[in-house]
Amino acid sequence: MPKRTNRKGGFSKFTPPKRKQLLVSDLSGRTAPDGQYRVISIARVGFSYNQEVWIEGTFSSFPEAKKIADDKAVDGVVCYIHGHGPRVIYIAR
């Protein structure tokens, strides 16, 4: 009798969106495509004014983007939700 192999299958699990690091001065990379929302997180590094800027993901609905922003906003991290354009729609601290 051949040996049985374990095969993973079934339902797919939720995969979190991939993060991408931005330059602090890259303001055009923060805007989302038309009709979508982009979550940006900014963290202070150490006691200086150095900052790290990350794109947490791009979402099609505002409640989904707001949930991710609220989850990522911890000590020293501020999350912003951008729409299509330079304005900030929501800030999570």
Side-chain angles (χ1 to χ4, degrees):
M1 181 180 310
K3 183 179 178 182
R4 296 182 72 173
T5 59
N6 291 335
R7 294 185 184 176
K8 292 184 178 181
F11 297 106
S12 63
K13 294 182 180 179
F14 172 75
T15 57
K18 294 184 179 179
R19 296 175 74 195
K20 178 183 173 188
Q21 190 166 13
L22 290 175
L23 295 174
V24 175
S25 60
D26 183 17
L27 299 178
S28 64
R30 299 180 188 190
T31 60
D34 199 18
Q36 294 186 341
Y37 302 95
R38 180 165 287 164
V39 178
I40 304 291
S41 64
I42 299 177
R44 289 225 171 162
V45 180
F47 292 106
S48 65
Y49 290 101
N50 294 335
Q51 296 177 343
E52 288 185 355
V53 180
W54 293 87
I55 295 177
E56 297 294 338
T58 304
F59 305 96
S60 59
S61 68
F62 180 76
E64 185 180 2
K66 184 179 180 297
K67 181 180 181 299
I68 296 295
D70 289 337
D71 290 344
K72 296 286 182 175
V74 292
D75 262 351
V77 178
V78 179
C79 290
Y80 299 95
I81 297 178
H82 289 268
H84 182 69
R87 294 192 178 189
V88 174
I89 297 173
Y90 179 76
I91 300 173
R93 294 179 189 213

